[in-house]
Amino acid sequence: MKWNLPNILTLLRLLAAPMVAVMFLYFTRPYADWFALLLFVSAAVTDWFDGYLARAWKQETKLGAMLDPIADKAMVVIALMVIIGFSSWSPWLVLPATVILFREVFVSGLREYLGDVAGTLKVTGLAKWKTTFQMTAIAVLFSQGVFEHYLGMSVFGMDEALIAAILNGEEEDVLGLWWKLAGMEWAGRIGLALLWVAAALTAITGMDYLAKALPHLREGR
């Protein structure tokens, strides 16, 4: 095993994946949302950075090739699990998340079955876009939690009539309820839309991988 900087960054991203969930065990919200968001965004940035460095410095290794997709899948799967666990279990959120989780498990199992042959099935440009949309959607959905809980902290102790008056412009919005509500709603809409795009790309790339793998599966029979 060769421990160069790109591989170390990949390993750190892999270790960061479970920390996204741990944040919600040891920190109250919205601090847990903040920590998870910053950790996830940092890990997503290293996903691009370690690949760039490995190519630029000609330090691509078998270890990195193995760890990179595992780290990506761990980040996405654990983050989606956390988001769904703290959501209202809306089918508009659960359905695309299910498609993503199913594809990742299915392709991982298929890669394991194919063994060395899996290395010949190259990652496509569409698969990279899939990962980009997945991570962007998850980051935006984490930001929704930040807006939601700052809004909840601001309206704590207020009666509904006062909240409605502030949001309708009848009372001065000293605590910024309007922009916190708008941020929460727009982050939810944009994050959900991006997640559906990610789910569609995930399904397409999964079918593409299966189609490429079928000849090898027939040969093994």
Side-chain angles (χ1 to χ4, degrees):
M1 295 188 295
K2 296 182 179 180
W3 289 106
N4 51 42
L5 181 58
N7 285 351
I8 292 173
L9 290 175
T10 303
L11 179 62
L12 290 176
R13 190 166 79 255
L14 178 61
L15 295 176
M19 293 303 296
V20 172
V22 170
M23 293 297 171
F24 288 86
L25 298 178
Y26 292 99
F27 295 96
T28 58
R29 304 181 75 183
Y31 305 108
D33 298 271
W34 267 116
F35 286 135
L37 174 61
L38 294 174
L39 187 62
F40 188 85
V41 170
S42 299
V45 170
T46 64
D47 183 30
W48 175 86
F49 203 55
D50 59 22
Y52 172 80
L53 290 180
R55 291 186 297 271
W57 295 352
K58 302 187 185 306
Q59 293 183 349
E60 296 171 291
T61 63
K62 290 182 179 180
L63 178 64
M66 181 213 37
L67 287 179
D68 188 68
I70 295 175
D72 288 345
K73 288 175 174 55
M75 286 295 300
V76 169
V77 168
I78 293 174
L80 284 176
M81 178 187 70
V82 170
I83 289 171
I84 292 174
F86 284 93
S87 74
S88 60
W89 287 82
S90 164
W92 293 102
L93 175 63
V94 174
L95 183 57
T98 301
V99 171
I100 292 171
L101 295 177
F102 176 80
R103 186 269 187 192
E104 300 299 4
V105 172
F106 177 77
V107 170
S108 295
L110 195 57
R111 281 181 177 274
E112 182 178 355
Y113 177 80
L114 292 174
D116 293 338
V117 175
T120 64
L121 304 178
K122 300 298 183 182
V123 177
T124 64
L126 193 60
K128 294 179 180 179
W129 276 106
K130 175 264 299 181
T131 302
T132 299
F133 270 96
Q134 285 179 353
M135 292 190 169
T136 305
I138 290 170
V140 174
L141 289 172
F142 272 132
S143 73
Q144 180 191 22
V146 174
F147 283 113
E148 178 184 358
H149 283 84
Y150 275 119
L151 176 64
M153 291 167 63
S154 298
V155 301
F156 184 76
M158 290 186 185
D159 58 54
E160 294 184 5
L162 178 57
I163 296 172
I166 293 173
L167 294 177
N168 291 331
E170 299 168 5
E171 295 285 344
E172 186 179 1
D173 188 7
V174 178
L175 298 176
L177 301 190
W178 188 89
W179 69 260
K180 292 172 185 175
L181 176 62
M184 181 188 75
E185 292 179 342
W186 278 105
R189 292 168 185 162
I190 294 172
L192 198 58
L194 291 172
L195 193 66
W196 274 92
V197 174
L201 294 176
T202 300
I204 293 170
T205 55
M207 289 185 289
D208 177 63
Y209 191 90
L210 177 60
K212 292 177 179 176
L214 279 178
H216 302 287
L217 295 177
R218 294 193 188 99
E219 291 171 6
R221 290 179 180 175

